[in-house]
Amino acid sequence: MAKRKTFDPGRVPVSFWRADDVQSALARHEVGALFQLYLRQFPDCTQTQLALLTEHDRSEISNWIRGVRAGRVSDIDVLTRIADGLQMPDEARVLTGLAPASVLMSSVRTAVPASRQPAAGGLPADMPGGMPAPSPTNSPDWREDLRRFWGLAQSSRVDIVCSEIPEQERPYFASPQDRNYLRYAKFADLDSLIYVRTRLTQLHPDLVIRDFSPSEYFDTGVDTLVVVGGPPWNAKYREFLPQLPFYFAPNPLGEDDPLVVPQLGNLTLGPQWSPDSDLLEDIAVFTRLTMTKGTTVFLLGGCLTLGVLGGAQCFLHGERAAANARWLTELIGDDDFVLVTDVRRLGGIADLADLTATEPLLVLARHNNDPFSVVVKNTDRYGAV
């Protein structure tokens, strides 16, 4: 009799973990629903193999799947065994509230002599915006450069306020009254939210990070506030517009909201499209403001979601991001700034900006709440709308 092969969870494509019903089960900690979806999608896996992979009795797996045992799990140890056993990618782990696996690995590396440590890596290539890990020749100080740029210290309090989909456009399960309520379903820039949260945690595992939609957020006492997504769908971003030297021209839903810079003769920049209506480039707008009470505010905007993610990657993606941060710091120091750059789509991911090789389209800066002035202007290469 042929022996059944052991199921290899490493063969599970990342597309499975990005499916709406899977992400709903992850966010709600509905283990039974997750196992049902897993077995349905991968018939080579059995309940017995799930039990072996996740270190549970087969009867426990069966009870979860049949609904005999409560499907919603809050025990971190149980969730960790399931995440580790199924080899969940970091974006799936974050949805369950667990730390990314890469963060856990970095804590293990601290116990290894520096001369024997592998090069610091980035996110897995299959995560949104994932790129190959830096080579072993990279400087070991790049993480500290990024911590300084973002103002991160041990136990710093970081709040992320992500744009939210208008209520009339949300899926039904974004409603708290729905029996399958998924809180993250109302976030408009969810890929950027997960990316930013994961990257910041990698930079400093001791951070206290919380995430909110604008309608949920009323706090004012954090060290760092990261606002993800432009003003059309982010009310928190709109609160800062009076202090900014630009705005996004509002248009009806389904049309682009281009960037407008009044002090440059109402210079207008927007996405670039192919004749077949494929998105070629977007505009990323990355802003830093320092409040009088000490809070540092980062605004991650874009005409479309591609620009928002590209702006986040510009100053969070490993060695390249550290080089970008050093370039900008040498240019304007610790002053408030607005940086505008173009983001190209390569395949299904955003291109990663290299400011040391190609300067941004625009940099404006101010000192001590003086008016913003132009420091770098290369907008002619992009073309105004």
Side-chain angles (χ1 to χ4, degrees):
M1 181 177 178
K3 183 177 179 181
R4 179 186 288 269
K5 291 183 179 180
T6 301
F7 181 78
D8 178 13
R11 295 190 296 107
V12 174
V14 71
S15 57
F16 169 78
W17 300 106
R18 292 176 181 170
D20 290 343
D21 48 3
V22 173
Q23 293 200 337
S24 175
L26 290 170
R28 292 173 56 82
H29 297 178
E30 292 283 1
V31 171
L34 175 64
F35 286 162
Q36 288 176 7
L37 294 166
Y38 200 90
L39 294 176
R40 186 182 310 147
Q41 184 69 28
F42 307 106
D44 290 344
C45 186
T46 66
Q47 291 187 22
T48 299
Q49 290 183 349
L50 270 183
L52 292 173
L53 289 170
T54 62
E55 301 178 26
H56 288 93
D57 292 336
R58 186 193 176 286
S59 60
E60 292 181 292
I61 301 296
S62 176
N63 288 339
W64 266 319
I65 292 173
R66 293 185 296 118
V68 175
R69 181 174 180 178
R72 185 170 294 181
V73 173
S74 58
D75 189 310
I76 294 299
D77 290 337
V78 172
L79 292 172
T80 300
R81 292 204 302 272
I82 293 172
D84 291 346
L86 299 185
Q87 298 182 27
M88 288 184 191
D90 281 351
E91 58 187 291
R93 296 178 67 99
V94 169
L95 280 177
T96 67
L98 297 175
S102 47
V103 171
L104 302 178
M105 287 303 298
S106 69
S107 65
V108 173
R109 292 191 190 105
T110 60
V112 181
S115 61
R116 298 184 61 189
Q117 288 185 8
L123 290 176
D126 58 3
M127 189 167 180
M131 299 286 284
S135 68
T137 59
N138 285 333
S139 166
D141 297 326
W142 67 266
R143 290 179 186 270
E144 186 57 36
D145 289 336
L146 287 179
R147 292 187 195 108
R148 284 196 296 268
F149 179 82
W150 287 87
L152 306 178
Q154 186 171 6
S155 301
S156 290
R157 296 166 300 164
V158 179
D159 284 353
I160 305 174
V161 181
C162 183
S163 55
E164 58 186 333
I165 300 170
E167 190 169 355
Q168 67 274 17
E169 299 292 331
R170 296 176 191 171
Y172 64 89
F173 49 84
S175 170
Q177 286 72 45
D178 188 79
R179 64 189 302 271
N180 292 315
Y181 170 58
L182 173 58
R183 174 175 173 267
Y184 284 101
K186 66 181 177 181
F187 288 101
D189 288 278
L190 183 58
D191 55 346
S192 296
L193 169 61
I194 294 174
Y195 180 86
V196 170
R197 181 164 186 147
T198 301
R199 282 296 187 173
L200 291 178
T201 304
Q202 288 177 326
L203 287 176
H204 216 312
D206 293 328
L207 295 176
V208 179
I209 302 182
R210 305 181 300 175
D211 57 58
F212 303 87
S213 68
S215 59
E216 298 170 332
Y217 192 69
F218 303 99
D219 202 349
T220 57
V222 294
D223 301 303
T224 302
L225 173 63
V226 183
V227 181
V228 176
W233 287 6
N234 196 324
K236 178 54 66 174
Y237 199 122
R238 292 198 293 272
E239 292 179 12
F240 293 98
L241 284 178
Q243 304 180 47
L244 301 177
F246 65 86
Y247 66 91
F248 289 92
N251 282 312
L253 186 66
E255 298 182 19
D256 299 336
D257 297 319
L259 175 74
V260 181
V261 186
Q263 71 187 75
L264 295 177
N266 285 325
L267 173 71
T268 303
L269 301 171
Q272 302 285 340
W273 301 85
S274 75
D276 295 327
S277 298
D278 293 323
L279 178 62
L280 301 177
E281 291 183 277
D282 192 14
I283 295 296
V285 185
F286 191 105
T287 303
R288 180 179 69 196
L289 302 173
T290 303
M291 313 306 290
T292 54
K293 61 185 179 182
T295 299
T296 302
V297 179
F298 294 94
L299 307 175
L300 280 60
C303 299
L304 301 169
T305 57
L306 176 64
V308 178
L309 180 59
Q313 290 178 327
C314 186
F315 294 107
L316 278 174
H317 204 99
E319 177 77 8
R320 177 73 63 82
N324 290 340
R326 290 191 295 269
W327 178 88
L328 185 60
T329 300
E330 290 172 4
L331 183 69
I332 53 96
D334 295 327
D335 289 349
D336 291 348
F337 70 84
V338 176
L339 182 142
V340 181
T341 190
D342 46 337
V343 182
R344 292 180 296 163
R345 171 171 284 169
L346 300 178
I349 63 175
D351 189 17
L352 188 60
D354 183 355
L355 303 183
T356 64
T358 304
E359 289 188 347
L361 297 176
L362 191 64
V363 177
L364 301 99
R366 72 176 182 184
H367 184 68
N368 290 337
N369 290 325
D370 290 338
F372 280 93
S373 60
V374 177
V375 180
V376 172
K377 184 177 182 295
N378 298 301
T379 52
D380 289 344
R381 78 162 190 256
Y382 188 80
V385 173

